[in-house]
Amino acid sequence: MATLVTGGAGYIGSHTAVALHDAGRDVVLVDNFSNSSPKAVDALRALTTPDIACVEGDLLDPATLERAFTDHDIDEVIHFAAYKAVGESVEKPLDYYGNNLGSTIALAQAMADHGVRRLVFSSSCTVYGQPDENPVTEAAPTGAESPYGWTKFMSEQILTDAANATPLDVVLLRYFNPVGAHPSGTLGEDPTGIPNNLVPFLMQVAVGRLEKARVFGTDYDTPDGSGVRDYIHVMDLAEAHVAALDALSDGLSGATAVNIGTGVGNSVLEVIAAVAEAVGRPIPYEIVDRRSGDIAMTWAATEFAADVLGWRASRDLDEMVRDHWRWQSQNPNGFE
Ligand code: NAD
Ligand code: WQD
């Protein structure tokens, strides 16, 4: 039996494939490489086993899922494949709704057709917007402020409705801010174009691909005025997926939304200091206006993840940026 990992060549999917292998599972990837490189698959096979299968194709093409489910003995699924750039989703809403909702519906239908009932879905803390209080619990109100955010909100609803009406059991993992890389330095995040996210941007400044970082506002109502987020090591996040699959195998039923964070908030200026420490020299930056749509601060309540999945993050910010820097310094141009 094998675990199907959609978007398995991407940043979080590839690291999760390593964690699944380390936990003794057979892994089948599906990816169309729209936002990733086949070299990520080579890297993860080198870290694990050449036997990891990869079905190349688009989830919106029915033949892709048919191949995945008939050529392999799939008994559980993790669905990472999606477009994820918040700003781009405002420019191209139909692409985002089409890809993110279309792939989720097609996958859930294929699972039903093939009698597969256990699913872990990549959701996001974006469904909370700016929470009224921190740490934010799973009971906090949800909604969205971008087409991307709505695709996560709507996918959660679609899968919850399906879980209520059909044998599907699903864990909706609401990730906070994933950073870091596999500790080997051979697998990591390789964003296309100029990074949107803070840590990949800082890393590209550190290797000289970008001149200086920008801090999007120091006038927030936070301790040092810069935005505060809950950064989580991608290997902790990867292990949370294994824990979620185990919980489903152990009988967790219906649809369950779970925060995946560390419970610790760090500011942009603290992240810049941690990266400078890991790199061994200052990171040049300038303070600019707030980025439209940004919130001041959010971090996760982690008790529910501990209760329902038996999982807690174990790596701190210093380890995240050290591992991210090992990857970036050994691969200044990513997989190219
Ligand atoms: P990523 O872009 O690195 O990985 C997504 C993968 O899915 C890519 O390899 C892409 O080629 C593939 N893909 C996209 N559409 C596809 C399709 N129609 N058919 C087949 N493959 C397709 O992104 P990531 O950072 O690894 O994120 C994984 C998931 O986690 C996404 O659903 C994302 O929305 C969610 N998420 C990410 C973050 C984050 O900050 N990285 C935070 C919260 C949630
Ligand atoms: C982090 C902090 C910025 C870049 C996004 C998505 C969210 C989720 C995770 C998918 C903020 C500041 C950033 C820079 C900066 N993704 N910043 N200079 O916005 O918290 O979350 O990724 O689901 O939905 O919105 O992450 O890394 O972009 O920003 O000062 O060049 O860094 O203002 O305070 P964000 P981020």
Side-chain angles (χ1 to χ4, degrees):
M1 300 307 272
T3 310
L4 184 69
V5 180
T6 79
Y11 173 43
I12 306 169
S14 59
H15 289 78
T16 301
V18 175
L20 289 165
H21 171 82
D22 291 349
R25 285 170 152 90
D26 289 336
V27 177
V28 177
L29 315 173
V30 188
D31 209 297
N32 63 0
F33 301 113
S34 58
N35 196 40
S36 54
S37 164
K39 289 182 181 155
V41 179
D42 298 340
L44 90 86
R45 283 183 179 141
L47 278 171
T48 55
T49 162
D51 299 336
I52 289 188
C54 184
V55 178
E56 181 173 352
D58 195 312
L59 291 171
L60 299 180
D61 172 1
T64 304
L65 282 166
E66 199 47 37
R67 255 193 302 149
F69 282 96
T70 50
D71 292 356
H72 303 277
D73 207 358
I74 304 299
D75 68 340
E76 54 185 12
V77 181
I78 309 179
H79 182 35
F80 292 104
Y83 296 153
K84 65 165 178 178
V86 175
E88 186 184 61
S89 79
V90 177
E91 314 289 321
K92 302 177 178 173
L94 298 181
D95 289 1
Y96 273 68
Y97 288 114
N99 192 50
N100 294 5
L101 300 183
S103 65
T104 299
I105 295 166
L107 175 67
Q109 188 61 58
M111 289 177 65
D113 294 345
H114 292 273
V116 178
R117 52 189 293 177
R118 297 193 296 278
L119 174 66
V120 176
F121 174 71
S122 298
S123 189
S124 167
C125 67
T126 195
V127 299
Y128 297 121
Q130 173 61 71
D132 297 331
E133 44 188 60
N134 282 300
V136 54
T137 72
E138 288 81 355
T142 55
E145 270 142 38
S146 68
Y148 167 75
W150 283 117
T151 70
K152 292 299 171 191
F153 178 92
M154 291 177 189
S155 294
E156 285 198 359
Q157 186 64 49
I158 290 165
L159 294 172
T160 300
D161 290 342
N164 286 336
T166 71
L168 179 73
D169 295 318
V170 58
V171 178
L172 311 162
L173 293 181
R174 294 175 178 163
Y175 317 155
F176 280 67
N177 289 55
V179 298
H182 189 271
S184 63
T186 62
L187 185 64
E189 183 170 16
D190 184 15
T192 340
I194 296 181
N196 297 309
N197 295 117
L198 177 63
V199 171
F201 199 105
L202 297 174
M203 293 293 162
Q204 292 202 8
V205 173
V207 290
R209 284 171 67 178
L210 294 167
E211 193 193 334
K212 61 178 157 185
R214 292 167 305 164
V215 176
F216 294 143
T218 52
D219 56 351
Y220 285 104
D221 186 13
T222 60
D224 66 19
S226 65
V228 170
R229 298 290 184 276
D230 184 336
Y231 296 92
I232 169 142
H233 197 298
V234 68
M235 291 312 301
D236 273 325
L237 177 55
E239 288 160 14
H241 291 80
V242 178
L245 290 174
D246 286 343
L248 289 168
S249 295
D250 290 346
L252 181 66
S253 64
T256 313
V258 186
N259 287 343
I260 299 297
T262 62
V264 176
N266 284 110
S267 73
V268 175
L269 296 176
E270 286 171 339
V271 174
I272 292 176
V275 171
E277 177 70 27
V279 171
R281 55 178 187 278
I283 303 294
Y285 67 86
E286 61 181 336
I287 295 164
V288 301
D289 287 346
R290 292 181 181 194
R291 182 173 65 180
S292 145
D294 271 357
I295 61 170
M297 55 181 174
T298 184
W299 62 92
T302 58
E303 290 73 20
F304 190 58
D307 286 350
V308 79
L309 307 182
W311 169 93
R312 268 187 200 282
S314 66
R315 298 157 176 96
D316 67 7
L317 180 65
D318 290 335
E319 186 167 352
M320 297 176 212
V321 296
R322 253 196 330 267
D323 287 343
H324 208 126
W325 174 239
R326 189 177 304 106
W327 152 254
Q328 190 76 73
S329 55
Q330 289 177 15
N331 306 273
N333 295 311
F335 288 111
E336 289 319 306

